[in-house]
Amino acid sequence: MTTPAANAMTADQLRNSFRDYFAARDHTVVQSASLIPHDPTVLFNVAGMVPFKDYFVGNEKPPFQRAVSSQKCARAGGKHNDLDEVGRTKRHLVFFEMMGNFSFGDYFKTDAIPYAWDLMTSSRESGGWGFDGDQLWITVHETDDEAEQIWHEQVGVPMERIQRLGDKDNYWQMGDVGPCGPCSEIHIDRGAEFGPDGGPLRDPAGDRFMEIWNLVFMQFNQDANGNRAPLPTPSIDTGAGLERILALMQGVDSVWETDLMQPLIDEACSITGHSYKVGDYDDRASFAMRVLAEHARSATMLVNDGVFPSNEARGYVLRRIIRRAVRFAYLLGTDKLVMPSLVAVAGQVMGDAYPDVTKNMSFITDVIGKEEERFRHTLKNGLAILDGELNADAEKLSGATAFLLHDTYGFPLELTQEIASERAIDVDLDEFNASMTEQRERAKAARKGGVDVEAMDAYREVLDQFGTTNFVGYTDDFADSRVLAILDGPDDDNGNPTVEIFLDTSPFYAESGGQVGDTGSITTDTGTATVLDCTFALPNLRRHSARVTEGTVIAGQTCTASIDVLRRDAIRRNHTATHLLHSALRHVLGEHVKQAGSMVGPDRLRFDFSHYDAVTPAQIKQIEDIANHETLGNMPTRIFETTKDEAEALGAIAFFGDKYGDIVRVLEAGSTIELCGGTHVRATGDIGTVKVVSESSIGSNLRRIEAITGDASVALLQRDEAMIAGAAQLLGTQSDDLLGGVQRKIDEVKDLQDQIKTLRSQLAAGRAEELAEIAVEGVVVTQVDGLAPGDMRELAIAVRQREGIKVVVLIGETDTGGVALVAAVQPGNSKPASLLIKDAAKAVGGGGGGKGDIATAGGKDPSGIPAALAIAAEAVGQVL
Ligand code: SER
């Protein structure tokens, strides 16, 4: 390659020189955006212009009209995909940096072209790169007379070094949709040893005439149907690959020998024990080492920006990158992990320009190392299967094999395809896709069966990738952490969407052992998620169910995770109190008391236990006294880990619902000692007062008590105090005389009831007199309303006692709206009184009777009373 100057620049110097050149020409220096684009139409930032897309298409007003950047880019998917080329050529990379200058409706071709030429060809002393203009070739779009004219007339490039090419080479599009326009490229002639003469037109592979800078004249916005609408103002987007220019500047054969890649190649040599052959693109080992170097750097940069290996979109690309590298390491015969040490070198190479890479190094190493481990686990067996199939002389590799490799051995389809293509064999894609569809159907069916297979798969993937959550909540209320993954959760009760957040480190207690999960918040630079609950998605994998209440929260971000401390304190009090109550129950009721369940929340605790009888109020009082004696003792609690046997020897009792391993966590609180994984107060005095608020049966020989502590006990006391004061006031007395006041009120009521009774009988006597007076030949059959049935009976007896009375029938609507019928004949009468009302009762929808001289009956229908009276009057003859 051509060396433009003896004192070659380093990558960092080159990046700076580009920025400086354009900053001096009124361009605002913009830092590189993340590799994860905000724009959903591309998987990664594929070019320097992607972060500026909205400025080009006019969706957003740019804060500046000129900008310069060196943007992190990845081309590994969609329209821009170089992944499969990596290792085979001198210049293809997945991750690279694109230096670019941009004009948003400001300058156009007449400035963009001379700027590029000037920077390329000016001497190093004057801030340029010092390339020899005679070695530079230009291509323009076949229709672009204007660009050609500027290159030739304004810049002075001879016509024989300007060539016109079609859309394929000289029309640039961001994606299937988005800004686009004709472009013009600068190529460098690397000399006769790289191929025949004739310019880029005769060298489509770009071996001799290598493209180094693309100037796009952005003029259109392409929609999904391929229609191109003019942009609000023509703009400029240029892109110069940092690594390629670096190679030229440093006078080396390819990007692999630059100061960005060489250290990685060296590390690949040292870790695999192979030697690298510069410029030998047929040597398998050298090819493999280029792949290792590139993929380690790409993976490092991707994880740094928050991409994690997974089976979806970006995560899948990252997984492919890592697995492709691992497979090449395996081909080189390296059994040990290679990625961690390569990642460390990538960190050194990139750390100066991107200090966050250095900061995140251990995390990045962890993520990539784990992915390597996972793949190595199955790689050997998978390769053996694949080898067998490929040796079977088939023309096509069956889709079923590719699916098996994918599903069971973790081979990305593309990896299988690459390996097969090394032997010129295709993979049966139709068959592979059919197997994939079938698997999805199976998952769907299983989901219908009640298990959310998809969710479980997602949890397992999170666990696979990141391992279990580092829990710090026994000692800390908050933690500096990282958002590892975010999944969609079910809508909450109000129909708002929720998410499930997985953290690296968490202070959130996940619901277990009866203790509810913590609530709180997760805050990143860009937003806050309010945590509504914390549960285990899988053992030791904490799922924070949350609602994003401010801004956005993105996987990969660092965050502060904080629990609601006051709520947790209340939970602690209730949890330790549960232990005190358990022990007190056994003391008062007997050792047969066994915990059958518990619920420890912030507002109260519930404890279910076996016992054959209701717990009496006196026993409850005794239990409370024991528990409160412990809290007043204010003994520090002690939590320690020990073996299960040791804990048993100490007399520890096990709580229901917890699983215990060989090493158990033990809580000593006051005189109690139990195994427990929950959170507890520091000393029993922290609990405050323990108050049992209910006792009930929840099944045969199963009882439940509910109790409160701390603030809730005080609130209960205050509520009861107010109630007593209110009652005393109503009784017109003082609180401390409440019982005396109530007793006096009861006595008063009793007095009044006695008076009512006396008055009633006086009234009845008067009534009897009146009724006796209306008797016709000793017979009274009449209606009497408004009395209770008992009073009506008394009245009938009173009437019968009057002189000359032989038969009494009283029928009427009672005080409660029913119908009462009473019949009386003189004692010793030969016929029973019941004959009088037997049929009459039917007329009011009822019945009744009696054998003697008094009969009573009841009915429901007062409208039948006149008929009943008539029937009764008819019946008089039967008893006389
Ligand atoms: N967008 C153009 C490219 O990627 C120029 O930056 O080549």
Side-chain angles (χ1 to χ4, degrees), residues 46-49 75 80 96 98-100 102 172-174 185 211 214-216 218 237-240:
V46 292
M49 54 72 60
R75 291 191 172 176
H80 303 276
F96 66 100
M98 186 179 280
M99 300 180 289
F102 306 92
W172 200 85
Q173 282 172 255
M174 173 178 147
E185 293 180 336
E211 180 225 321
N214 185 11
L215 317 181
V216 183
M218 287 293 191
D237 149 38
T238 87

Side-chain angles (χ1 to χ4, degrees), residues 819-862:
V819 180
L821 306 92
V822 186
V825 293
Q826 283 300 331
N829 192 60
S830 60
K831 299 281 169 50
S834 58
L835 294 175
L836 293 161
I837 53 169
K838 201 175 75 200
D839 294 333
K842 289 176 191 151
V844 291
K851 277 195 181 129
D853 49 19
I854 297 274
T856 57
K860 290 179 294 230
D861 178 16

Side-chain angles (χ1 to χ4, degrees), residues 528-863:
T528 297
T530 301
V531 177
L532 311 168
D533 196 7
C534 180
T535 45
F536 285 116
L538 291 172
N540 293 324
L541 180 69
R542 286 175 153 73
R543 162 179 50 198
H544 305 79
S545 301
R547 218 172 41 231
V548 178
T549 41
E550 226 182 278
T552 51
V553 174
I554 302 162
Q557 285 185 309
T558 54
C559 67
T560 304
S562 326
I563 61 165
D564 178 338
V565 177
L566 292 181
R567 182 174 177 276
R568 165 74 88 75
D569 284 347
I571 294 170
R572 274 186 228 282
R573 286 194 282 268
N574 285 338
H575 203 154
T576 312
T578 307
H579 287 221
L580 300 185
L581 284 171
H582 187 186
S583 162
L585 279 163
R586 287 162 70 94
H587 192 80
V588 172
L589 303 179
E591 296 290 308
H592 62 276
V593 166
K594 293 247 163 6
Q595 179 180 353
S598 74
M599 198 287 299
V600 180
D603 53 340
R604 79 211 153 98
L605 68 94
R606 199 170 73 201
F607 188 78
D608 301 338
F609 56 97
S610 50
H611 183 53
Y612 43 80
D613 213 352
V615 190
T616 66
Q619 288 170 327
I620 297 270
K621 181 173 176 302
Q622 217 185 333
I623 290 160
E624 286 178 348
D625 286 347
I626 292 173
N628 285 309
H629 189 76
E630 298 272 24
T631 66
L632 288 175
N634 197 21
M635 290 294 288
T637 57
R638 189 164 83 93
I639 287 175
F640 58 94
E641 287 190 343
T642 182
T643 61
K644 210 172 182 176
D645 295 344
E646 180 63 20
E648 264 165 34
L650 288 170
I653 40 179
F655 249 46
F656 169 90
D658 269 353
K659 273 203 209 111
Y660 301 107
D662 284 341
I663 294 296
V664 291
R665 193 167 178 266
V666 180
L667 170 78
E668 247 177 30
S671 61
T672 74
I673 175 161
E674 290 192 25
L675 307 195
C676 185
T679 62
H680 291 277
V681 296
R682 277 165 283 274
T684 53
D686 294 350
I687 295 171
T689 298
V690 182
K691 182 79 194 83
V692 174
V693 289
S694 80
E695 193 280 334
S696 60
S697 163
I698 52 161
S700 73
N701 297 330
L702 273 185
R703 311 295 304 181
R704 166 173 293 174
I705 56 168
E706 293 189 306
I708 55 177
T709 63
D711 295 339
S713 294
V714 177
L716 180 72
L717 199 61
Q718 288 164 340
R719 190 202 70 180
D720 287 356
E721 192 182 45
M723 208 156 66
I724 290 167
Q729 200 185 7
L730 286 174
L731 289 166
T733 184
Q734 300 300 315
S735 292
D736 56 6
D737 182 38
L738 181 64
L739 289 181
V742 169
Q743 189 57 57
R744 283 195 293 280
K745 208 40 100 185
I746 289 170
D747 292 347
E748 201 177 300
V749 168
K750 198 162 172 295
D751 265 3
L752 292 172
Q753 279 171 340
D754 286 349
Q755 284 179 35
I756 288 170
K757 214 171 163 195
T758 312
L759 286 171
R760 274 220 179 120
S761 58
Q762 285 169 1
L763 263 174
R767 206 71 196 278
E769 198 60 57
E770 277 168 30
L771 292 177
E773 270 166 24
I774 60 164
V776 178
E777 293 177 11
V779 174
V780 179
V781 178
T782 189
Q783 182 167 356
V784 178
D785 290 333
L787 294 181
D791 291 343
M792 190 119 112
R793 187 173 182 277
E794 291 303 315
L795 182 58
I797 291 168
V799 176
R800 186 179 67 174
Q801 281 163 1
R802 305 288 143 178
E803 212 180 318
I805 300 295
K806 290 185 241 166
V807 170
V808 183
V809 177
L810 304 181
I811 301 177
E813 191 171 343
T814 65
D815 54 348
T816 55
V819 180
L821 306 92
V822 186
V825 293
Q826 283 300 331
N829 192 60
S830 60
K831 299 281 169 50
S834 58
L835 294 175
L836 293 161
I837 53 169
K838 201 175 75 200
D839 294 333
K842 289 176 191 151
V844 291
K851 277 195 181 129
D853 49 19
I854 297 274
T856 57
K860 290 179 294 230
D861 178 16
S863 71

